[in-house]
Amino acid sequence: MSTTIDVSVRAEAIGSDPMAVVEEISGWLSTPAEEVDREFACELDRLRIAVSVMNSDAAAGDRRAHYCQQLLLARIYQLTMQIPEQPTAEGSVVVHEVMRLLEAATLAAEDDRIEPGILDQAPAQPKAYLSWLKGTARAHRVFKHPYYQDFIKDHATVDDLRNYVMQESVVDGRFDDLLAMMQVGTSGGAKMEIATNFWDEMGNGNQAEVHTHLFNKIFEVFEITSAELEAGLSANALLSGNLAVLLSRYRTFYAEAVGFLGMTEWLVPDRFVQVVKAWERLGLPDVGIVYHRLHITVDAQHAAGWFHNVVIPAASSPAMRRGMMRGALWRLNSSCRYLDERMPTTDR
Ligand SMILES: [Fe+2]
Ligand SMILES: [Fe+2]
């Protein structure tokens, strides 16, 4: 994101601390949308500047600004991802403006990390395209990342695993809802594939085997509360969750969502083999590892079905080829940064 903010304007931005911006806007999220718009519409200019300062600082490498940017976006997304117990600002025009600024900066940062020209190299023939996409992923540092292949498998402690599942909750903990959002507007074989995948997420009709339910069992093993969960998420974990929501909810990013979620499924089996090894090495209760064991096989099937029934048929379109690869690269690059950050020797 290359937003340039004039220094004198910066000085007037609310609170030079980006967390002050996050807290101010977060404070509105439990207020009815009409009220927020009535009271804060006149403050939009000030807000635009404050959020743009945060975005440009994040783009310049300020880690606190990046954390605040992703935390605020995650909190705004909660408005559309949860059934509320009280009124919320869902639908507020003011909150929407803030969200759009955060989304644009988030996407620009991911695009900046894509190697120039790579999207133009995609083969036009659908099967060759899929091989190229998979080959690019196999050559990526994230594919056999040492975080899983070494750290999780051989060294992670109970506390490390506890922290690990917290970070993973933003994607695994709501994968069914991501699928439900991204399937809107699809048809034919793609819709059937997404529906089949979704039905697996629903435990094929058995409530006790719903995947998010199985995932939440891990939280019982580790006694993780929801308050602890949000506070414990790193900037890059928040980003992973935000990207998944962003791509799944906008129809215009359907191609990117196909690439992003397909890559997510494809990377799972090998990663979860290492998590299961760690779980067994540490002698943790079996109830907490059912989710990971299951996904070693089920996500291999999901990835194969996704590639065959969603990616290949869509790959006859140049725009889809480009979008799917863009989404796949967003997943590979963001996952790699997230895993790099989780490595014990890396300065966090
Ligand atoms: Fe699943
Ligand atoms: Fe899956």
Side-chain angles (χ1 to χ4, degrees):
M1 185 74 176
S2 55
T3 316
T4 314
I5 305 296
D6 183 88
V7 176
S8 61
V9 176
R10 275 186 72 108
E12 289 170 21
I14 47 167
S16 50
D17 178 9
M19 191 51 86
V21 181
V22 173
E23 292 308 338
E24 179 179 2
I25 297 169
S26 300
W28 309 341
L29 301 180
S30 51
T31 304
E34 302 71 24
E35 227 174 282
V36 171
D37 289 343
R38 208 168 41 238
E39 286 188 27
F40 300 105
C42 57
E43 311 233 21
L44 254 180
D45 285 345
R46 177 177 67 92
L47 276 173
R48 277 197 202 100
I49 293 168
V51 174
S52 298
V53 167
M54 179 161 50
N55 283 340
S56 67
D57 286 349
D62 181 327
R63 294 168 71 149
R64 187 169 164 77
H66 182 233
Y67 173 73
C68 288
Q69 176 194 58
Q70 295 306 317
L71 178 63
L72 182 56
L73 186 55
R75 285 183 177 173
I76 292 173
Y77 278 162
Q78 291 291 13
L79 300 180
T80 56
M81 297 298 288
Q82 284 179 345
I83 310 281
E85 288 172 1
Q86 57 189 14
T88 76
E90 184 183 14
S92 153
V93 176
V94 172
V95 173
H96 186 78
E97 281 254 5
V98 171
M99 181 183 76
R100 294 297 292 152
L101 288 172
L102 295 169
E103 288 176 341
T106 299
L107 293 177
E110 291 312 312
D111 276 342
D112 278 352
R113 289 181 166 99
I114 292 180
E115 195 187 314
I118 193 167
L119 298 178
D120 303 321
Q121 294 167 17
Q125 202 278 331
K127 283 189 177 164
Y129 170 81
L130 177 60
S131 302
W132 172 77
L133 189 147
K134 284 171 147 182
T136 307
R138 281 196 192 93
H140 198 288
R141 169 175 158 74
V142 79
F143 189 69
K144 291 275 181 190
H145 197 285
Y147 178 77
Y148 283 100
Q149 301 298 323
D150 179 45
F151 178 69
I152 281 278
K153 177 164 74 85
D154 295 325
H155 307 288
T157 63
V158 172
D159 240 26
D160 290 327
L161 272 194
R162 186 176 191 275
N163 197 291
Y164 163 75
V165 295
M166 278 167 53
Q167 310 299 324
E168 295 290 294
S169 65
V170 285
V171 175
D172 293 65
R174 56 186 180 188
F175 202 79
D176 49 6
D177 287 340
L178 297 172
L179 287 171
M181 289 196 296
M182 69 88 67
Q183 63 85 31
V184 174
T186 58
S187 59
K191 194 161 218 162
M192 290 300 290
E193 181 59 36
I194 300 166
T196 305
N197 193 317
F198 184 80
W199 194 234
D200 277 349
E201 289 295 321
M202 294 296 101
N204 295 292
N206 182 350
Q207 215 171 330
E209 290 176 14
V210 169
H211 292 187
T212 50
H213 171 75
L214 296 176
F215 185 77
N216 287 333
K217 289 278 173 201
I218 316 169
F219 287 67
E220 291 170 27
V221 169
F222 288 131
E223 296 176 349
I224 296 167
T225 63
S226 48
E228 186 188 1
L229 194 58
E230 193 208 59
L233 293 177
S234 71
N236 282 320
L238 289 165
L239 170 69
S240 287
N242 289 340
L243 276 176
V245 174
L246 200 168
L247 301 186
S248 299
R249 74 196 291 260
Y250 285 100
R251 298 304 76 219
T252 189
F253 286 128
Y254 172 69
E256 281 81 358
V258 168
F260 188 95
L261 295 180
M263 209 36 78
T264 304
E265 301 260 25
W266 195 50
L267 292 175
V268 160
D270 189 44
R271 291 178 167 192
F272 283 10
V273 165
Q274 317 312 327
V275 177
V276 170
K277 281 180 186 161
W279 201 270
E280 290 169 351
R281 171 170 58 75
L282 293 163
L284 286 161
D286 247 25
V287 64
I289 199 64
V290 175
Y291 174 87
H292 289 84
R293 279 213 182 97
L294 171 72
H295 282 82
I296 291 170
T297 46
V298 97
D299 273 352
Q301 294 160 5
H302 285 170
W306 198 266
F307 288 148
H308 188 75
N309 298 317
V310 185
V311 173
I312 287 186
S316 49
S317 145
M320 285 295 297
R321 285 198 295 273
R322 196 177 174 84
M324 290 189 293
M325 186 55 178
R326 188 175 174 220
L329 285 169
W330 284 346
R331 174 61 184 168
L332 295 171
N333 293 340
S334 60
S335 177
C336 196
R337 296 199 304 281
Y338 159 70
L339 295 180
D340 285 346
E341 149 193 287
R342 310 277 359 129
M343 288 298 284
T345 47
T346 308
D347 171 35
R348 292 181 192 180

